[in-house]
Amino acid sequence: MKKYIACIIAILAVFGTSSVAYATFQQNKADTFQKSSTAYFETFAPNQTYGTPSTNIVYHTPFSYALQYPQVPQNIANERITQTMTQIKSDFEKKYSSLAKEVSQKKTAHKETAALFVGYESHVNLDGIATIAFQKTEQARNQHAIPATWQTISFDSENGTAITSADIFRDTYREKASAYAIKYFEQNESYAPALFGDYRSVLAPESEIYQRFALTKDSVIFYINKYEILPENFGAIRLEIPKSELYGTFLTDPIIIPAQKLTPAKIEKPAETTQDTTNHSARVIDPQKPMVALTFDDGPAPKATNAILDTLEKHNVVATFFDVGYRVERYPDVVKREASLGNQIASHSYDHKDFAKLTPQQIQEDVKKVNAAFQKAEVVPTLFRPPYGSTNNTVSQNVPLPIVTWSVDTLDWKTRNTQSILQTIEKEGNLNGKVILMHGIYDTTAAAVEKLVPSLIEQGYQIVTVSELLQYRHQVTPVSGKLYGYSYFQ
């Protein structure tokens, strides 16, 4: 911490406004900037546990830069890191462009306007999830007390695929992290007396700080920007929560079955708990009766998807799962279970890019990757749903599957509220022939499905796959490259 404070003092000397500071700075500007930058980077070194540091220090007018970021083994992750650094630099230059113009018009030899410092820490956890946390610090002429801010990215250390909080945590992680954070800061002897503003709101479950995280082998680090809850001298904060405090919020945590449910009969007869793969063959579809298709995007996810499958199996109905390739690679057993219960398995791309913005070659590369993922899981996708429902002629010409969107959007990804999902569907009125969009990665969606399925059955609906809906309601077999969209499913 002392070294960090000394670094900031040195930086202020470089970009300060006093004549003494400028006189000193004038003697050897570049050398002073180099030393200040090196001291800044040293504060992050102990927490750089993944990748090789790459440093770029440039003293110039009107802007100077001291940037450090990691080079990692995965090219796709390196591209994302480069894009992040480019965006940070671009935002910085736009922010101070008017100040630079103002300084350049003054009759002074000192044209230094602002400096951007970016350091980082990097971690990788036992599940192979790598996280880079960038800290951005700015110093500008005549402007002090500029907040130091954090920005994080996560990716699979095996293939570089981007990973989000939804890929790692269950919905409950925010509540647990918030409770821990509030208790920690209010009971800490150093922090508690200095807390200011509505800090409880900043630390509330819905706060964006819980989107800025890193995963270590034993903990989760959440990053709090300078001035968010504490005065300037505390700087930007890293709140490290032991993994044990968040147990049960990770998708990789085993589901705990209460002891009273583990009866001797179930232990002695494990065959009773195996999946019944014959029930779905007894389904009979009557073309004259109402039917509706339930679809689930973005999966699979161990807890939420399996909970949805439990409901479908219980009521002997099926759905269509539009799975993404990188999750298929991570959870092949869940995909196999989807298929074993008679559900339709479909592709939602490899990693959820906007296909309407891709070139033919990029689309073809994605198709190869997602097909390889499904092949490893021993399942073949039969439909394709473009991410965001975004499609065009280029997509149609390069995706070798029928293209399907939806006609009822539950917005479950946005509300994360079981009752809201059910109300949205209810407001649609007649659901005959409709394709309902949900996502198979949310606990709230799984809870909604548990209520929705028996309700639909009670109303007389047959719950079918998308291809069954096309076959029995429209008397067509879906054709590769053809779009079956919103108007089709009215």
Side-chain angles (χ1 to χ4, degrees), residues 33 59 66-67 81-82 88 152 205 220 269 297 310 331 358 367 404 463:
F33 187 76
Y59 170 76
L67 313 176
I81 290 169
T82 300
I88 290 174
T152 64
V220 180
K269 299 178 181 179
D297 288 8
D310 288 345
Y331 309 114
L358 301 183
V367 169
V404 172
I463 302 176

Side-chain angles (χ1 to χ4, degrees), residues 437-451:
L437 168 63
M438 291 179 279
H439 294 77
I441 57 176
Y442 303 123
D443 294 347
T444 46
T445 298
V449 172
E450 188 175 10
K451 296 180 179 180

